[in-house]
Amino acid sequence: MSLTDIVYRTDEAGLEPLLRSIDRAGDYCTHGRSFYPMPLISVDEVGVLSFPVPEAQIRALVAVAERAPYGRGSETRVDTSVRNSWQLDAARVHVGGGAWPGTRSQILEAAARGLGCPPDRLEAHLYKLLVYEPGGFFAAHRDTEKIDGMVATLSVSLPTPGTGGALAVRHRGRETVIDMNAAEPSELAYAAFYADCEHETQPVREGHRLSLVFNLRVRPGDDPAAVRPPDHAERVAAIAERLGGLGGDAGGDKLVWLLEHEYTQAGLSFDTLKNADAAVARALGQAAARADCAIHAAIVQIRRRGGARVEDDYIDSWNVTDYDAADLEMDDEFDADQWLDGWASPDGGRPAFERIPLLPGELLPHGALDGADPDEQRLREATGNEGVTLERTYRRAALVVWPRARTLDVMISAGTARAVAWVTGEHERRDAGSGDRTEKLVARLIDVWPADDDGPSARASRLSDFWPDRGPRPEELARCGMLRLLVAVGDASLGVRFLRRVVLADYSGRENEDLPAAFGLVGPHSTAELLPELSKRHFADLPEDVLELQRRVDDLESADPAWRGAVQAALRTTLQAAAAAVEARAASRARAWIFDPRPLEGRFVRTLFGMAWRHGLIEEAEAAGEAIGRHPKAVSPDRALPAALRDLYREPGLAAAPAYVGLWRTAAGALLARSSTPPAGPRDWSIAADLSCDCELCRRLRSFCEDPGTRQARFPLREDLRAHLDNVIREHRLDLDHETERQGDLPVLVCTKNRASHERRDAEYREDVSWMQSLLDSVPRRAAVEICPAEGTRLRQAVAAAPVR
């Protein structure tokens, strides 16, 4: 499938022909044959091999060998229709003798020259001894990277009579067919090819073929490129000149040059680049250094999702197990994504850039992905309104270059959190005297900081009850990281800019851990301006978070009276906003249940009024308390208020304050209205049943519920009617236990009345009495005299009337 929607870079400057003109060291495969001093080869359970290997020893090898498997995806399979050969692991094969080091060195040097690898760093590690009998073959496949740093495979044929069994190697439309037969006693035939090349062993026509297979690895060295091509001084200078135009109108900030060979994410490094790729990397790296550009290697990931069909028929089945994704076509593409990850630096490092978008107009060379086959294909079953989905992922390695001065812009394209992490790393790695550069990066990051796409954080807060907490959003993590970075940099003016431009607009409460230190950085005078403004903007939607922030900032208070003034100003705004918020929440309840906010918790009330008392904001606290009294549902009066009052009572002098008295009376009134006397027990078995459905079956159920003397009823019903009654019972929370008996032809729904409502009310009453006692322990007093004698008397009577259990 072709990636026809890829937008390549407009190459008016001629970068592509320059890079294509880089001389290529070596080729995708190399081969040869010669007469060498032969090695001494012994195999466990067989002994020392003779050359040419006689038929009897070949039969002995097959007797102790195992069928050679092949890999398909993450699976390893044995299937002689795909691979028909025998193998012995390297641990059972011993290659040595006095002549072997010299013979091995000659073959390895020839392979290095042919592949364009550094001869002094190319290592060969024995992998298998393979035995092909007449008719033996291995269908077209690619090798996996079996050891770290593996770049190629080396196959050495031992002297064995036979014909056929040629090795065919293919790469980017080219094919090399190699005769691997070696018949004379001292003749060895070898072939080396890069691991990403498709290759196959054609059928052996007569006799046998024995091969030693080696994994070739380039040992890391000081030279970041695996190949040292001829001097390209003029080309490097021309490339450097053209790199100076990156980030202009020709495309995005990056040049992404797709490599010819394939590399896994784990195996990608500048040390393991193969022939042409290594030559281009060296020249491009030199040019990047001249143009003050950064260069890295990375994996290009391209993902496409769309509908799945077989020829002209769409797949609308929910079961996709009958289909192979490779046989399907994609239609109505509805999702496309492309990015870079798996980063590698020339020095061998692994930068933590993570996922950076691949933007339109950054790829070269043109058409490099035409006809590309997907590396992964998956079918997803239909879900909801979405039909069967086909997902295809393409992966290609690339060299990525961008101007160092644009690194921050590249990181911002990956998200603000990524950019903050990069600038933080730059700050931690800074040399002496480089603080000015960090400050410039921070200043630019503030200038380009994007607005919160989700709008005011309050919207997410209001709806938080309807979704589980999925953790902080990326933009919240970015703000928190930036606050920590600002404190580390220590520039108060940058801190004020960020707080005013970003935090005041997009505060969500997640920043509370890091904001106190940021306010400490900007000082009390700026805090006195910013903290009240934050409270004014966000208290209505995030009351608990705003108050918690003020409590944390209050902990910063020192002997400096300016800090006390800053916290006092913010708290005054919060108390004024609290009264307005209570009114707004009451109105919201009346308008739309979906935005019905949760009642404020007792901890909120305790913190708010405790701080108000300590800061002398008596009038403001009283106004907030009066608002709570007018709208008791804003703060749960029977639970949250008693809990808060129990702790506030310990504040010296607070128990006589008007605000405290008002809150205490609200709590006492709510509890007495419901539980001044014990609830009456049930007189009979009648159940209130105001059912919304009036079908014949529900009328029968209602009659049963209202019957005071009948406790159990049996309803013989088919499945759909049983399900209907089950839903009605659950929806109306009827005091009924119900289960199905399956004894006869028609199952019976057995409904038995219980005392669940009475038990719930009884538990509520016992808890109410406990909170009444708590209110008696925290009754408002002045000079040991109760301020609310009437309510106190009624509470004592209600507690005394509670039955002893």
Side-chain angles (χ1 to χ4, degrees):
M1 173 184 177
S2 297
L3 292 171
T4 56
D5 59 340
I6 294 294
V7 179
Y8 292 92
R9 174 173 286 278
T10 301
D11 190 36
E12 295 177 353
L15 258 174
E16 181 172 339
L18 277 171
L19 292 172
R20 284 188 180 277
S21 69
I22 301 297
D23 292 341
R24 293 151 187 264
D27 207 346
Y28 68 95
C29 73
T30 185
H31 59 93
R33 66 176 59 246
S34 188
F35 296 94
Y36 300 94
M38 297 300 289
L40 180 68
I41 301 178
S42 65
V43 179
D44 293 349
E45 303 177 65
V46 175
V48 177
L49 300 184
S50 303
F51 298 115
V53 183
E55 177 79 22
Q57 282 193 327
I58 292 175
R59 288 198 300 271
L61 290 172
V62 171
V64 298
E66 62 179 0
R67 279 288 181 189
Y70 72 98
R72 177 165 181 171
S74 59
E75 300 178 6
T76 300
R77 303 179 179 181
V78 174
D79 184 347
T80 55
S81 68
V82 176
R83 185 180 190 183
N84 185 6
S85 64
W86 301 89
Q87 69 175 26
L88 292 103
D89 288 336
R92 302 170 63 190
V93 181
H94 311 282
V95 185
W100 174 238
T103 299
R104 180 180 178 278
S105 178
Q106 291 181 54
I107 295 175
L108 202 55
E109 184 175 351
R113 286 197 308 270
L115 294 176
C117 296
D120 59 329
R121 288 161 47 203
L122 189 65
E123 302 174 345
H125 300 266
L126 182 62
Y127 176 55
K128 302 281 187 185
L129 171 62
L130 298 181
V131 181
Y132 288 87
E133 297 181 293
F137 71 99
F138 193 175
H141 65 285
R142 288 184 173 85
D143 289 341
T144 57
E145 295 178 3
K146 302 175 183 68
I147 58 174
D148 291 342
M150 177 180 169
V151 296
T153 298
L154 171 66
S155 178
V156 178
S157 289
L158 302 176
T160 309
T163 60
L167 177 66
V169 184
R170 307 178 187 92
H171 180 65
R172 298 182 69 85
R174 299 170 59 198
E175 180 181 66
T176 301
V177 180
I178 306 165
D179 180 6
M180 295 296 293
N181 284 302
E184 298 193 29
S186 60
E187 182 181 19
L188 294 176
Y190 72 87
F193 48 90
Y194 280 110
D196 64 313
C197 294
E198 182 183 86
H199 56 283
E200 66 174 299
T201 298
Q202 298 175 350
V204 174
R205 293 193 298 274
E206 297 178 355
H208 299 81
R209 181 180 145 197
L210 268 66
S211 299
L212 292 172
V213 180
F214 297 84
N215 298 320
L216 297 183
R217 172 182 180 268
V218 174
R219 185 177 63 255
D222 297 331
D223 187 350
V227 176
R228 184 176 296 278
D231 184 18
H232 295 296
E234 293 184 2
R235 288 189 180 90
V236 167
I239 294 170
E241 181 180 353
R242 286 155 177 78
L243 291 179
L246 288 179
D249 296 335
D253 290 318
K254 305 183 289 292
L255 165 67
V256 181
W257 180 266
L258 292 171
L259 298 174
E260 290 191 6
H261 287 272
E262 295 182 12
Y263 305 85
T264 64
Q265 185 164 315
L268 179 63
S269 73
F270 281 77
D271 278 321
T272 58
L273 294 180
K274 304 162 186 175
N275 52 55
D277 295 338
V280 171
R282 182 174 180 81
L284 191 55
Q286 292 174 348
R290 290 191 186 189
D292 196 23
C293 289
I295 182 170
H296 298 85
I299 301 294
V300 174
Q301 306 258 17
I302 301 174
R303 183 176 60 203
R304 299 290 185 265
R305 295 178 66 210
R309 62 187 177 90
V310 181
E311 295 181 349
D312 295 328
D313 296 329
Y314 284 93
I315 301 175
D316 56 7
S317 168
W318 288 72
N319 183 7
V320 299
T321 56
D322 297 334
Y323 301 95
D324 188 334
D327 299 329
L328 303 178
E329 298 179 28
M330 183 182 293
D331 204 356
D332 295 332
E333 183 180 295
F334 55 78
D335 184 32
D337 198 7
Q338 50 197 42
W339 68 94
L340 298 151
D341 60 15
W343 296 87
S345 297
D347 62 3
R350 294 284 181 180
F353 293 157
E354 300 178 2
R355 177 170 167 158
I356 292 179
L358 172 64
L359 303 178
E362 293 186 332
L363 273 180
L364 279 180
H366 285 85
L369 294 173
D370 290 353
D373 293 323
D375 293 271
E376 185 179 348
Q377 303 187 76
R378 289 193 296 176
L379 273 175
R380 298 182 182 276
E381 290 189 348
T383 56
N385 295 325
E386 185 177 291
V388 175
T389 299
L390 177 60
E391 179 178 293
R392 287 187 167 134
T393 303
Y394 305 77
R395 300 185 183 92
R396 287 287 300 276
L399 298 171
V400 186
V401 181
W402 65 72
R404 292 188 187 278
R406 306 281 289 180
T407 300
L408 181 57
D409 300 87
V410 172
M411 296 301 136
I412 289 173
S413 73
T416 318
R418 179 69 260 151
V420 171
W422 178 76
V423 177
T424 300
E426 291 296 293
H427 176 70
E428 292 171 349
R429 290 188 296 270
R430 72 193 189 283
D431 298 325
S434 65
D436 182 58
R437 177 175 181 269
T438 302
E439 290 173 2
K440 289 180 179 178
L441 290 173
V442 172
R444 172 155 172 73
L445 189 50
I446 295 172
D447 290 339
V448 300
W449 197 279
D452 189 341
D453 292 338
D454 289 340
S457 303
R459 185 177 304 118
S461 174
R462 283 196 298 268
L463 296 177
S464 63
D465 288 343
F466 299 93
W467 285 272
D469 186 357
R470 300 175 183 176
R473 295 174 295 158
E475 54 268 32
E476 293 173 325
L477 291 174
R479 290 195 292 274
C480 294
M482 187 64 166
L483 290 169
R484 293 190 292 271
L485 175 59
L486 286 163
V487 173
V489 171
D491 189 310
S493 62
L494 290 175
V496 170
R497 282 177 58 190
F498 184 72
L499 290 170
R500 181 176 290 124
R501 184 182 183 280
V502 177
V503 176
L504 287 186
D506 298 325
Y507 172 79
S508 69
R510 298 276 187 184
E511 305 87 349
N512 281 1
E513 191 75 28
D514 302 293
L515 269 173
F519 282 122
L521 169 68
V522 303
H525 296 291
S526 294
T527 301
E529 172 199 348
L530 296 167
L531 192 55
E533 181 63 23
L534 185 147
S535 178
K536 184 186 302 181
R537 293 191 188 189
H538 296 285
F539 181 85
D541 297 296
L542 301 167
E544 290 94 344
D545 295 302
V546 169
L547 187 61
E548 173 62 16
L549 173 61
Q550 293 179 3
R551 186 196 64 75
R552 288 171 179 258
V553 176
D554 195 23
D555 291 341
L556 295 176
E557 187 178 325
S558 65
D560 186 350
W563 271 115
R564 180 172 177 82
V567 175
Q568 191 177 59
L571 189 58
R572 179 179 288 108
T573 301
T574 295
L575 286 163
Q576 293 167 352
V582 167
E583 303 285 354
R585 284 176 170 237
S588 176
R589 282 181 179 274
R591 285 198 305 268
W593 71 269
I594 193 169
F595 294 116
D596 187 10
R598 295 173 301 175
L600 297 171
E601 297 180 356
R603 181 181 59 181
F604 169 86
V605 177
R606 178 176 65 247
T607 303
L608 177 64
F609 286 92
M611 287 179 64
W613 178 254
R614 289 191 296 275
H615 282 271
L617 300 173
I618 306 302
E619 293 182 4
E620 292 84 351
E622 187 173 356
E626 289 175 356
I628 292 174
R630 287 194 300 271
H631 305 289
K633 288 187 178 180
V635 178
S636 175
D638 54 343
R639 297 294 181 264
L641 280 187
L645 291 164
R646 179 183 55 196
D647 296 329
L648 289 172
Y649 187 74
R650 302 189 185 101
E651 292 280 347
L654 179 55
Y660 182 92
V661 173
L663 294 176
W664 190 90
R665 280 181 166 150
T666 299
L671 290 169
L672 287 169
R674 185 171 61 205
S675 297
S676 59
T677 58
R683 295 189 300 271
D684 51 40
W685 285 106
S686 61
I687 297 174
D690 185 14
L691 306 185
S692 55
C693 179
D694 196 41
C695 70
E696 173 60 28
L697 188 57
C698 286
R699 287 197 294 271
R700 289 172 53 197
L701 178 64
R702 185 184 299 110
S703 296
F704 162 63
C705 289
E706 294 174 350
D707 186 339
T710 303
R711 189 181 177 191
Q712 188 179 85
R714 301 170 63 85
F715 298 88
L717 299 169
R718 63 177 188 264
E719 183 176 356
D720 60 327
L721 296 179
R722 291 199 314 275
H724 173 64
L725 270 195
D726 180 80
N727 288 335
V728 169
I729 293 169
R730 294 180 189 277
E731 179 183 348
H732 293 81
R733 298 189 68 187
L734 299 178
D735 291 350
L736 294 175
D737 297 321
H738 51 292
E739 59 182 3
T740 301
E741 287 186 0
R742 303 178 182 275
Q743 295 180 352
D745 295 336
L746 191 62
V748 176
L749 183 68
V750 180
C751 296
T752 305
K753 295 176 182 176
N754 59 43
R755 302 295 193 192
S757 294
H758 173 72
E759 291 168 358
R760 286 194 298 269
R761 175 66 187 106
D762 189 58
E764 180 184 59
Y765 169 75
R766 291 197 302 271
E767 190 174 356
D768 283 350
V769 170
S770 174
W771 283 115
M772 288 181 192
Q773 183 59 56
S774 176
L775 288 179
L776 286 172
D777 294 337
S778 57
V779 66
R781 298 175 189 274
R782 182 180 295 111
V785 177
E786 291 186 9
I787 298 176
C788 305
E791 291 89 341
T793 299
R794 292 183 61 199
L795 285 173
R796 279 186 282 272
Q797 291 172 347
V799 171
V804 179
R805 296 179 182 275

